[in-house]
């Protein structure tokens, strides 16, 4: 897609430090890492949302992300990794070409996600939310 920074990286019009590439996905170093070795895995074809990516490609993103997480952890002498994907600006998505973050993590890296954890008001409210989500669920690529 024109004017998409990650499509330009795929096309080689913008430089990147490539870590892995195949016919479906590209993985390269994030320019502003949470920890050193922070990688982005992207579909080569343009998708703004993770939900429109065909299953073979999103499956490959997940597989490569996890394998790269292990490679980063082992090579950088760390203990774990996070896989993170932001879908939508309100969720923190800045670049509108879907991407999976692979973030190497160490016991003492000083980074915290800052989860906020709510409680459901009651069982009926909880179950109503579950039913609403199930009613809208589609297995096919969807917006
Ligand atoms: P998100 O907030 O999930 O959309 O993440 C976008 C990520 O893309 C950020 O972590 C940026 O540091 C990263 N990023 C933006 N431009 C580039 C670039 N040219 N090369 C590598 N990473 C980039
Ligand atoms: Zn794109």
């Amino acid at each position: 897609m024109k004017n998409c920074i990650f499509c330009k990286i795929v096309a080689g019009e913008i430089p990147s430090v490539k870590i892995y590439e195949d016919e479906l996905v590209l993985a390269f170093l994030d320019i502003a890492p949470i920890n050193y070795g922070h990688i982005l895995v992207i579909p080569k074809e343009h998708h703004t949302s993770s939900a429109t990516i065909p299953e073979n490609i999103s499956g490959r993103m997940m597989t490569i992300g996890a394998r790269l997480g292990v490679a980063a952890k082992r090579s950088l002498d760390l203990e774990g990794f996070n896989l993170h994907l932001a879908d939508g600006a309100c969720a923190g998505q800045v670049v509108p070409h879907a991407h999976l973050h692979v973030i190497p993590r160490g016991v003492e890296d000083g980074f915290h996600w800052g989860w906020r954890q709510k409680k459901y008001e009651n069982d009926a409210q909880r179950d109503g939310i579950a039913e609403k989500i199930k009613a809208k669920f589609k297995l096919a690529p969807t917006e």
Side-chain angles (χ1 to χ4, degrees), residues 7 22 24 35 47 65 69 71 89 99 117 122 133 140:
C7 282
D22 63 28
L24 300 179
N35 282 328
H47 292 271
H99 49 279
Q117 293 196 282
N122 51 53
I133 295 170

Side-chain angles (χ1 to χ4, degrees), residues 1 4-8 44-47 96-98:
M1 183 187 252
C4 170
I5 188 167
F6 286 177
C7 282
K8 287 182 178 172
K44 283 192 163 176
E45 61 183 45
H46 181 89
H47 292 271
H97 179 130

